[in-house]
Amino acid sequence: MRRKPGSHLSIEGIELANFAGTCMGEYDRVFTSTLPRSTETAIAMGYEVNECIDELGKLPEKILVKLAWPNTLQSIAKVMETNADCSQFAKDQASIWFNCIRELPVDSRILIISHGGIIELGALGSIKRNISTNLGSAFGYCEGFTLEYKDEECVGIEFELMPEDRRLISNI
């Protein structure tokens, strides 16, 4: 959460990230985009940032426009079916995310902090269509999901949403 056009967290963003951090467990490594608010979110959550990855914060305008973000995961999945750029971006994000955990021990947990539109595409790029899940609304601030991998394949997704009284969806 920021005050546009600024790139740093607002006080409300800091407070929300601090609250989110109290609800989360420990992580073996923390990755963020290179945008300041991403790193600030991790710190406000109480985590040390291990690595900043530029691609976690770059969503080309042509893809953002196609997504009509914020949008539901179901709608974004439909866009991916007909738009090669969106589909490829989703696969690329999924690959970046998997590479973050590839060298870690089997039961490791990582936290990746990215941005709206990017996380929805990355989630959809990570899961196989046969994974049984109810694709819900766009993720709000400090929301996301846990992906479970087995033998280098994503085998499950569990959504991590804020309590209803703290749930805020960005309007970019």
Side-chain angles (χ1 to χ4, degrees):
M1 245 171 159
R2 61 185 167 127
R3 292 199 206 304
K4 296 172 186 174
S7 60
H8 295 280
L9 285 184
S10 64
I11 189 65
E12 295 86 1
I14 293 168
E15 290 170 354
L16 187 64
N18 184 266
F19 172 79
T22 65
C23 303
M24 301 164 69
E26 293 184 21
Y27 294 93
D28 297 291
R29 294 193 40 95
V30 176
F31 301 85
T32 69
S33 79
T34 56
L35 297 175
R37 66 186 177 275
S38 181
T39 301
E40 293 165 0
T41 298
I43 293 168
M45 288 177 160
Y47 299 110
E48 173 186 0
V49 175
N50 299 104
E51 187 176 343
C52 296
I53 301 172
D54 199 37
E55 292 85 0
L56 295 175
K58 290 189 174 181
L59 183 62
E61 185 69 27
K62 67 181 179 179
I63 293 175
L64 182 61
V65 168
K66 286 288 184 191
L67 296 181
W69 194 85
N71 205 340
T72 66
L73 288 170
Q74 192 69 43
S75 294
I76 292 171
K78 287 180 182 175
V79 170
M80 287 172 54
E81 291 173 6
T82 60
N83 186 284
D85 290 332
C86 290
S87 181
Q88 187 59 53
F89 186 89
K91 290 175 189 172
D92 292 345
Q93 280 298 304
S95 178
I96 291 166
W97 297 358
F98 182 74
N99 285 334
C100 290
I101 201 163
R102 181 183 301 272
E103 302 299 321
L104 296 176
V106 170
D107 288 327
S108 295
R109 292 186 59 197
I110 65 169
L111 174 64
I112 296 175
I113 298 175
S114 185
H115 306 275
I118 297 172
I119 63 167
E120 287 86 354
L121 284 167
L124 293 168
S126 296
I127 62 175
K128 292 190 175 262
R129 294 288 183 236
N130 63 354
I131 291 178
S132 171
T133 186
N134 177 16
L135 298 177
S137 65
F139 293 108
Y141 294 110
C142 294
E143 293 185 326
F145 46 87
T146 299
L147 297 176
E148 181 183 350
Y149 289 90
K150 182 177 182 180
D151 300 327
E152 298 191 12
E153 182 178 325
C154 182
V155 295
I157 184 169
E158 181 180 328
F159 295 101
E160 307 286 345
L161 304 177
M162 296 295 281
E164 201 57 43
D165 64 329
R166 294 204 184 236
R167 191 153 204 266
L168 300 166
I169 307 272
S170 172
N171 62 2
I172 298 192

